[in-house]
Amino acid sequence: MLSIAPPPSLPLRYHHNRPLLHHRSHGLLFTIRSSSTSSIQEAVEEKTAKEKDLLSSEVYSTAPFPSIKAAKRVVLVRHGQSTWNEEGRIQGSSDFSVLTKKGEAQAETSRQMLIDDSFDVCFSSPLIRSKRTAEIIWGPRKEDMITDSDLREIDLYSFQGLLKHEGKAKFGAAYRQWQVDAPNFNIDGHFPVRELWGRARNCWNKILAHESRSVLVVAHNAVNQALVATAIGLGTEYFRILLQSNCGVSVLDFTPRIDGGDGSPFICLNRLNQTPNSPVAASSSAGRKTSKRIILVSQGTTQGDTEGSFSNSGDQPMNMLGIIQSQKTAELLLDQNVSTIVSSPKNACVETAATISRVQEAADCLAADCVPRYVEMKQIRELDVRDILQPSNKEATEALAFQPGFLNRFEDEALSALWDQSGKAWQSLLNELSDESEPEKIVVVVGDPAIHIALMGHCLNLTKDWMGSFHLDAGSISVIDFPDGPTGRGVIRCINYTAHLGRWSIPITKSTIDDEEF
């Protein structure tokens, strides 16, 4: 039974950044009986119906969060590879596996990734594999480490400890449901994914209540997915859609309400699954091999860009930093067999696309007898959104870029235009990916961070109201896999990956000392 107390009344469906005009009815089930025990039976069934309803995804993914007084950044890390990961055994919340040598090395890489970052506190799952990862990353820091049982991995009851083929043989239909319909998966009288969403929500209440500005959380694959999803208001249907690789790093920013009053903070997913290894390396998505992929490349910075401002100064070429960013991205994609590069017609996007194309076409031609590989290049006007996004005031112009949720500062009319135009671009990209003559196809898309945020929103089947919940930096990449082909659901492998930029990468956290905001 969950320890979370139900809210006094179930809320209107609410998105943390914008209220949505969408209601949900929370009905209760009653059975009328003629026996003298009917009133008791009704009470029991009413209580059961309430409990099931409270475990539904919408209650725990859309209820307002507690208010905060100062900006807070939370960095989520999944534990390194464990012995049961290596064996392909179902772990759940069991505590019998430990980190492998590879897992220890992954944790060390994450430690190096975060070594210069300032944290006020570390929350960790009490399970050995996660706690050990936390200890490696935390290193010599003197600040508190807090273990919280709500951060344990998903409870899978009778599934735990089984090899995957054993689970299939022993449980048959139930195992199949776990694979294809996890939100409704039921075992031993429990709905594990629904319970997990409830636990994740409980964790956020405790993390946000803690007097800290910068928080490290080290936990597990499923619980970190639930933490990300409940933070930005997504339900259990998004389980296995927002990937968490071993020692992958995800970042969430919580900002107090502008009016300074009580109420749910603005919440932005700053990055998702920044992994110790390359995010584009051959791998599976949610346990399934993928043959179709879209890689979103945010254009490099331009000559009109200044730090902390929104560049809307015309069709500018890239500055020196932008050129470096495009070259670093081209190197990251060196081993990818890119079929097509699609870009906005703007100068910086075309330059970035050309840099990636040159490296791709030379990649197979390093030996004397090799023939250059042709990469198709296209421009889509729908990817150009700079004329749409006109800040409505001077304050917005000076403080838009590089801030979490910067799209929230634009007028609704501009956001609607961005959303509509990006929808057309998204359909064009899916059509591009659907070419049956190429069973394996990688499409690189180069555009402004704003259009990529909107494209990811379409991939996730969201509305324009969610665009402020995501952030991208110049020079970053985001990866969308299609394990079921372009007609199936896209799986987000990573968002706002910048580690490939080396010394020019965007710091994951900043010191909070004497800083008003991140």
PDB file of all heavy atoms in Angstrom, residues 339-359:
ATOM      1  N   SER A 339      21.507   9.051 -43.899  1.00  0.00           N
ATOM      2  CA  SER A 339      20.928   8.987 -45.245  1.00  0.00           C
ATOM      3  C   SER A 339      20.625  10.377 -45.790  1.00  0.00           C
ATOM      4  O   SER A 339      20.910  10.681 -46.950  1.00  0.00           O
ATOM      5  CB  SER A 339      19.635   8.164 -45.222  1.00  0.00           C
ATOM      6  OG  SER A 339      19.853   6.871 -44.718  1.00  0.00           O
ATOM      7  N   THR A 340      20.018  11.202 -44.930  1.00  0.00           N
ATOM      8  CA  THR A 340      19.538  12.507 -45.376  1.00  0.00           C
ATOM      9  C   THR A 340      19.784  13.545 -44.289  1.00  0.00           C
ATOM     10  O   THR A 340      19.640  13.240 -43.104  1.00  0.00           O
ATOM     11  CB  THR A 340      18.024  12.453 -45.677  1.00  0.00           C
ATOM     12  OG1 THR A 340      17.754  11.399 -46.604  1.00  0.00           O
ATOM     13  CG2 THR A 340      17.528  13.765 -46.255  1.00  0.00           C
ATOM     14  N   ILE A 341      20.158  14.742 -44.701  1.00  0.00           N
ATOM     15  CA  ILE A 341      20.268  15.878 -43.784  1.00  0.00           C
ATOM     16  C   ILE A 341      19.254  16.924 -44.229  1.00  0.00           C
ATOM     17  O   ILE A 341      19.293  17.406 -45.358  1.00  0.00           O
ATOM     18  CB  ILE A 341      21.679  16.479 -43.775  1.00  0.00           C
ATOM     19  CG1 ILE A 341      22.719  15.426 -43.417  1.00  0.00           C
ATOM     20  CG2 ILE A 341      21.758  17.648 -42.781  1.00  0.00           C
ATOM     21  CD1 ILE A 341      24.160  15.916 -43.494  1.00  0.00           C
ATOM     22  N   VAL A 342      18.326  17.230 -43.348  1.00  0.00           N
ATOM     23  CA  VAL A 342      17.278  18.212 -43.632  1.00  0.00           C
ATOM     24  C   VAL A 342      17.541  19.432 -42.765  1.00  0.00           C
ATOM     25  O   VAL A 342      17.797  19.303 -41.563  1.00  0.00           O
ATOM     26  CB  VAL A 342      15.881  17.627 -43.320  1.00  0.00           C
ATOM     27  CG1 VAL A 342      14.799  18.651 -43.614  1.00  0.00           C
ATOM     28  CG2 VAL A 342      15.641  16.349 -44.103  1.00  0.00           C
ATOM     29  N   SER A 343      17.458  20.621 -43.332  1.00  0.00           N
ATOM     30  CA  SER A 343      17.756  21.819 -42.546  1.00  0.00           C
ATOM     31  C   SER A 343      16.790  22.937 -42.867  1.00  0.00           C
ATOM     32  O   SER A 343      16.117  22.947 -43.904  1.00  0.00           O
ATOM     33  CB  SER A 343      19.187  22.296 -42.796  1.00  0.00           C
ATOM     34  OG  SER A 343      19.297  22.956 -44.047  1.00  0.00           O
ATOM     35  N   SER A 344      16.749  23.903 -41.949  1.00  0.00           N
ATOM     36  CA  SER A 344      16.115  25.181 -42.220  1.00  0.00           C
ATOM     37  C   SER A 344      16.939  25.905 -43.274  1.00  0.00           C
ATOM     38  O   SER A 344      18.153  25.690 -43.384  1.00  0.00           O
ATOM     39  CB  SER A 344      16.068  26.002 -40.929  1.00  0.00           C
ATOM     40  OG  SER A 344      15.921  27.380 -41.203  1.00  0.00           O
ATOM     41  N   PRO A 345      16.324  26.767 -44.075  1.00  0.00           N
ATOM     42  CA  PRO A 345      17.092  27.509 -45.085  1.00  0.00           C
ATOM     43  C   PRO A 345      17.950  28.633 -44.508  1.00  0.00           C
ATOM     44  O   PRO A 345      18.687  29.288 -45.262  1.00  0.00           O
ATOM     45  CB  PRO A 345      16.000  28.062 -46.012  1.00  0.00           C
ATOM     46  CG  PRO A 345      14.771  28.126 -45.177  1.00  0.00           C
ATOM     47  CD  PRO A 345      14.872  27.003 -44.208  1.00  0.00           C
ATOM     48  N   LYS A 346      17.898  28.879 -43.201  1.00  0.00           N
ATOM     49  CA  LYS A 346      18.701  29.933 -42.603  1.00  0.00           C
ATOM     50  C   LYS A 346      20.194  29.597 -42.680  1.00  0.00           C
ATOM     51  O   LYS A 346      20.595  28.439 -42.629  1.00  0.00           O
ATOM     52  CB  LYS A 346      18.298  30.152 -41.146  1.00  0.00           C
ATOM     53  CG  LYS A 346      16.909  30.767 -40.965  1.00  0.00           C
ATOM     54  CD  LYS A 346      16.830  32.166 -41.542  1.00  0.00           C
ATOM     55  CE  LYS A 346      15.499  32.843 -41.209  1.00  0.00           C
ATOM     56  NZ  LYS A 346      15.379  34.181 -41.834  1.00  0.00           N
ATOM     57  N   ASN A 347      21.031  30.646 -42.770  1.00  0.00           N
ATOM     58  CA  ASN A 347      22.462  30.484 -42.988  1.00  0.00           C
ATOM     59  C   ASN A 347      23.130  29.540 -42.002  1.00  0.00           C
ATOM     60  O   ASN A 347      23.864  28.631 -42.389  1.00  0.00           O
ATOM     61  CB  ASN A 347      23.162  31.849 -42.911  1.00  0.00           C
ATOM     62  CG  ASN A 347      23.320  32.490 -44.282  1.00  0.00           C
ATOM     63  OD1 ASN A 347      23.505  31.789 -45.272  1.00  0.00           O
ATOM     64  ND2 ASN A 347      23.228  33.800 -44.340  1.00  0.00           N
ATOM     65  N   ALA A 348      22.902  29.752 -40.702  1.00  0.00           N
ATOM     66  CA  ALA A 348      23.581  28.955 -39.684  1.00  0.00           C
ATOM     67  C   ALA A 348      23.203  27.482 -39.806  1.00  0.00           C
ATOM     68  O   ALA A 348      24.046  26.600 -39.607  1.00  0.00           O
ATOM     69  CB  ALA A 348      23.237  29.480 -38.286  1.00  0.00           C
ATOM     70  N   CYS A 349      21.954  27.210 -40.138  1.00  0.00           N
ATOM     71  CA  CYS A 349      21.500  25.823 -40.287  1.00  0.00           C
ATOM     72  C   CYS A 349      22.122  25.178 -41.523  1.00  0.00           C
ATOM     73  O   CYS A 349      22.553  24.022 -41.486  1.00  0.00           O
ATOM     74  CB  CYS A 349      19.982  25.775 -40.368  1.00  0.00           C
ATOM     75  SG  CYS A 349      19.149  26.373 -38.879  1.00  0.00           S
ATOM     76  N   VAL A 350      22.148  25.913 -42.620  1.00  0.00           N
ATOM     77  CA  VAL A 350      22.737  25.386 -43.850  1.00  0.00           C
ATOM     78  C   VAL A 350      24.225  25.116 -43.654  1.00  0.00           C
ATOM     79  O   VAL A 350      24.754  24.080 -44.098  1.00  0.00           O
ATOM     80  CB  VAL A 350      22.505  26.365 -45.012  1.00  0.00           C
ATOM     81  CG1 VAL A 350      23.255  25.906 -46.260  1.00  0.00           C
ATOM     82  CG2 VAL A 350      21.013  26.485 -45.319  1.00  0.00           C
ATOM     83  N   GLU A 351      24.923  26.025 -42.966  1.00  0.00           N
ATOM     84  CA  GLU A 351      26.355  25.832 -42.695  1.00  0.00           C
ATOM     85  C   GLU A 351      26.587  24.588 -41.833  1.00  0.00           C
ATOM     86  O   GLU A 351      27.494  23.796 -42.093  1.00  0.00           O
ATOM     87  CB  GLU A 351      26.929  27.060 -41.992  1.00  0.00           C
ATOM     88  CG  GLU A 351      27.049  28.291 -42.862  1.00  0.00           C
ATOM     89  CD  GLU A 351      27.586  29.476 -42.054  1.00  0.00           C
ATOM     90  OE1 GLU A 351      28.401  29.256 -41.140  1.00  0.00           O
ATOM     91  OE2 GLU A 351      27.174  30.614 -42.331  1.00  0.00           O
ATOM     92  N   THR A 352      25.772  24.432 -40.798  1.00  0.00           N
ATOM     93  CA  THR A 352      25.907  23.269 -39.916  1.00  0.00           C
ATOM     94  C   THR A 352      25.647  21.987 -40.692  1.00  0.00           C
ATOM     95  O   THR A 352      26.389  20.997 -40.566  1.00  0.00           O
ATOM     96  CB  THR A 352      24.915  23.378 -38.737  1.00  0.00           C
ATOM     97  OG1 THR A 352      25.190  24.559 -37.985  1.00  0.00           O
ATOM     98  CG2 THR A 352      25.035  22.168 -37.823  1.00  0.00           C
ATOM     99  N   ALA A 353      24.607  21.976 -41.523  1.00  0.00           N
ATOM    100  CA  ALA A 353      24.283  20.802 -42.331  1.00  0.00           C
ATOM    101  C   ALA A 353      25.416  20.464 -43.290  1.00  0.00           C
ATOM    102  O   ALA A 353      25.773  19.288 -43.468  1.00  0.00           O
ATOM    103  CB  ALA A 353      22.982  21.045 -43.101  1.00  0.00           C
ATOM    104  N   ALA A 354      26.010  21.491 -43.901  1.00  0.00           N
ATOM    105  CA  ALA A 354      27.104  21.264 -44.857  1.00  0.00           C
ATOM    106  C   ALA A 354      28.317  20.659 -44.155  1.00  0.00           C
ATOM    107  O   ALA A 354      28.991  19.774 -44.705  1.00  0.00           O
ATOM    108  CB  ALA A 354      27.477  22.578 -45.540  1.00  0.00           C
ATOM    109  N   THR A 355      28.603  21.109 -42.936  1.00  0.00           N
ATOM    110  CA  THR A 355      29.735  20.565 -42.175  1.00  0.00           C
ATOM    111  C   THR A 355      29.516  19.085 -41.876  1.00  0.00           C
ATOM    112  O   THR A 355      30.427  18.254 -42.051  1.00  0.00           O
ATOM    113  CB  THR A 355      29.921  21.338 -40.859  1.00  0.00           C
ATOM    114  OG1 THR A 355      30.160  22.716 -41.154  1.00  0.00           O
ATOM    115  CG2 THR A 355      31.081  20.784 -40.053  1.00  0.00           C
ATOM    116  N   ILE A 356      28.317  18.727 -41.442  1.00  0.00           N
ATOM    117  CA  ILE A 356      28.005  17.329 -41.150  1.00  0.00           C
ATOM    118  C   ILE A 356      28.098  16.496 -42.426  1.00  0.00           C
ATOM    119  O   ILE A 356      28.643  15.384 -42.423  1.00  0.00           O
ATOM    120  CB  ILE A 356      26.594  17.216 -40.539  1.00  0.00           C
ATOM    121  CG1 ILE A 356      26.541  17.942 -39.190  1.00  0.00           C
ATOM    122  CG2 ILE A 356      26.187  15.750 -40.371  1.00  0.00           C
ATOM    123  CD1 ILE A 356      25.148  18.070 -38.609  1.00  0.00           C
ATOM    124  N   SER A 357      27.590  17.028 -43.531  1.00  0.00           N
ATOM    125  CA  SER A 357      27.613  16.308 -44.806  1.00  0.00           C
ATOM    126  C   SER A 357      29.035  16.027 -45.263  1.00  0.00           C
ATOM    127  O   SER A 357      29.355  14.914 -45.703  1.00  0.00           O
ATOM    128  CB  SER A 357      26.869  17.115 -45.862  1.00  0.00           C
ATOM    129  OG  SER A 357      26.955  16.493 -47.127  1.00  0.00           O
ATOM    130  N   ARG A 358      29.923  17.022 -45.163  1.00  0.00           N
ATOM    131  CA  ARG A 358      31.312  16.833 -45.613  1.00  0.00           C
ATOM    132  C   ARG A 358      31.994  15.704 -44.838  1.00  0.00           C
ATOM    133  O   ARG A 358      32.688  14.866 -45.421  1.00  0.00           O
ATOM    134  CB  ARG A 358      32.095  18.133 -45.453  1.00  0.00           C
ATOM    135  CG  ARG A 358      31.786  19.176 -46.509  1.00  0.00           C
ATOM    136  CD  ARG A 358      32.815  20.295 -46.505  1.00  0.00           C
ATOM    137  NE  ARG A 358      32.821  21.020 -45.243  1.00  0.00           N
ATOM    138  CZ  ARG A 358      32.077  22.094 -44.994  1.00  0.00           C
ATOM    139  NH1 ARG A 358      31.247  22.551 -45.938  1.00  0.00           N
ATOM    140  NH2 ARG A 358      32.140  22.727 -43.843  1.00  0.00           N
ATOM    141  N   VAL A 359      31.779  15.676 -43.523  1.00  0.00           N
ATOM    142  CA  VAL A 359      32.401  14.633 -42.707  1.00  0.00           C
ATOM    143  C   VAL A 359      31.779  13.276 -43.024  1.00  0.00           C
ATOM    144  O   VAL A 359      32.487  12.262 -43.105  1.00  0.00           O
ATOM    145  CB  VAL A 359      32.249  14.972 -41.210  1.00  0.00           C
ATOM    146  CG1 VAL A 359      32.734  13.816 -40.340  1.00  0.00           C
ATOM    147  CG2 VAL A 359      33.037  16.230 -40.875  1.00  0.00           C
TER     148      VAL A 359
END
